[in-house]
Amino acid sequence: MRSVFFRPSGALPGLLPALLGTAFTFLMTAAGAALVFFFRRAVGERPQRVCMGFAGGVMAAASVFSLLVPAAEQAAQRGGCAWLVVTLGFLLGAGLLMLPDAAMLRARIRADSAREEARRRALLFTAITLHNVPEGMAVGLAFALAAREGGSAMAAAAALALGIGIQNFPEGAAISLPMRQSGMSRKRSFLLGVLSGAVEPVFGVLVVLVAAAAQAVMPLLMAFAAGAMMLVVFEEMIPEAAGGRAGVTAAVLGYALMMALDVALG
């Protein structure tokens, strides 16, 4: 998600390459979500803390290394005020997700445990889905540019898709596993993980149609997605994981895994 955004843009060909590239990243998300079929539903608080901790660690690292750092780099390369762009985007993302959550929180006194669990699931799903939007746009635009320029550009686009696809694998699991642990069926947990990645092909194709405008706002969009993800991490996932050492350990391992993938493949 780096310098591919800063080449001259215009009316780009390559809808099919963009679709194929983002289809791969989507399938990697689905593969990660499919891990839910290999785990029994565990009973008790400890497995729930482990799953929430791991998911929180993955989301926190993805927010920093996949979104905020590249957003700052891209804003600086475009001559913008990088700190202002990423801060504004981050606060907008967190603030937008706070609005529906605040309404649900006001009803918490009347809510039973099932409704509270549904609120948490909605926050988790929304945050990771928003995170996948700029990633899909990055891959789609890279393949569209590669279709026009050929040569090494296609290899760079393929490398970008491979890197994001590998990163998407634990993100798919970060949705499906906590939802399964909270009581949802394996099938529904898997389908929600798959749906969170389905936005990547959609926005990967759309970005080809509006390439110039998308390039201009990409840093803001990336910071926006990071803010939404971190709100969920701060409000729900870390507090849940912090209830026991196993949850905290899982958060550290999830963060380390995603950090390693981003740094190695970024």
Side-chain angles (χ1 to χ4, degrees), residues 90-170:
F90 186 90
L91 292 176
L92 285 174
L96 182 65
L97 207 61
M98 281 181 180
L99 294 177
D101 188 43
M104 288 185 282
L105 283 172
R106 283 195 293 268
R108 179 176 284 184
I109 296 176
R110 302 187 304 274
D112 56 22
S113 59
R115 289 178 59 188
E116 175 63 14
E117 198 61 54
R119 183 187 72 84
R120 296 171 63 181
R121 291 172 184 167
L123 279 176
L124 174 62
F125 176 79
T126 301
I128 294 188
T129 301
L130 285 173
H131 158 265
N132 284 333
V133 169
E135 288 193 347
M137 294 171 73
V139 174
L141 185 58
F143 272 92
L145 287 165
R148 184 179 68 181
E149 299 178 14
S152 61
M154 185 58 73
L160 178 70
L162 177 62
I164 291 180
I166 293 173
Q167 295 165 23
N168 281 357
F169 186 87

Side-chain angles (χ1 to χ4, degrees), residues 1-6 70-80 82 219:
M1 297 176 67
R2 304 285 201 253
S3 60
V4 292
F5 294 109
F6 303 105
E73 292 176 352
Q74 293 172 24
Q77 289 180 34
R78 297 181 70 87

Side-chain angles (χ1 to χ4, degrees), residues 31 84 125 127 150 163 168 203 248:
L84 181 60
F125 176 79
N168 281 357
F203 282 88
V248 174

Side-chain angles (χ1 to χ4, degrees), residues 136-202:
M137 294 171 73
V139 174
L141 185 58
F143 272 92
L145 287 165
R148 184 179 68 181
E149 299 178 14
S152 61
M154 185 58 73
L160 178 70
L162 177 62
I164 291 180
I166 293 173
Q167 295 165 23
N168 281 357
F169 186 87
E171 290 172 5
I175 283 189
S176 64
L177 293 180
M179 291 197 176
R180 174 59 178 160
Q181 292 296 330
S182 68
M184 187 176 287
S185 69
R186 284 189 177 89
K187 183 177 179 180
R188 290 190 63 188
S189 300
F190 169 71
L191 288 177
L192 284 174
V194 170
L195 285 175
S196 73
V199 296
E200 293 198 0
V202 173

